[in-house]
Amino acid sequence: MFKSTLQAFSLAFGMALITPALAAGNADMPKEVKAETRTEVGTSVPSGAGKSGEDVSGQVSINSATAQELAATLNGVGLKKAESIVSYRDKYGPFSQVDQLTEVPGIGKALVERNLARIKL
């Protein structure tokens, strides 16, 4: 099972690299395709990042950050979970301990532990 999954992943990854070259009619130049792919892929900074709840050190305040800032900074937290954090904070007030995040639906102890270095009050 693992071998077939690995083979499928390798095939999909290889096709992702070769497909742009084939579409351009340049199948002999995969190195350029890689460089173009790396150049095109960028990380976007959410608007307002670094203003209210996020600081330069890569930490985010669970008491003042927007849902977008939380989602951008915390590992394993998408916009839905980030919105749940903000809703919980709005309903019950600011967090007094980082461990209180586990009271938010969808946020478990492992997720909090994984992000301890990224979270501040």
Side-chain angles (χ1 to χ4, degrees), residues 4 6-7 15 20 23 54 63 66 70 73-74 87 103 105 110 121:
S4 62
L6 185 59
Q7 287 174 340
M15 291 301 294
E54 188 178 356
N63 284 325
T66 65
L70 290 167
T73 306
L74 299 178
S87 294
E103 296 172 13
L121 292 175

Side-chain angles (χ1 to χ4, degrees), residues 5-85:
T5 303
L6 185 59
Q7 287 174 340
F9 176 77
S10 297
L11 178 63
F13 183 74
M15 291 301 294
L17 292 176
I18 294 172
T19 302
L22 292 173
N26 246 347
D28 296 329
M29 302 173 64
K31 288 183 182 178
E32 288 181 31
V33 171
K34 278 182 162 179
E36 288 173 16
T37 303
R38 283 189 215 138
T39 305
E40 292 172 10
V41 175
T43 55
S44 62
V45 177
S47 62
K51 291 183 183 172
S52 65
E54 188 178 356
D55 71 13
V56 182
S57 67
Q59 287 188 321
V60 66
S61 170
I62 56 174
N63 284 325
S64 61
T66 65
Q68 290 80 10
E69 290 170 338
L70 290 167
T73 306
L74 299 178
N75 184 4
V77 175
L79 194 54
K80 290 271 189 191
K81 286 184 182 179
E83 288 171 347
S84 294
I85 293 170

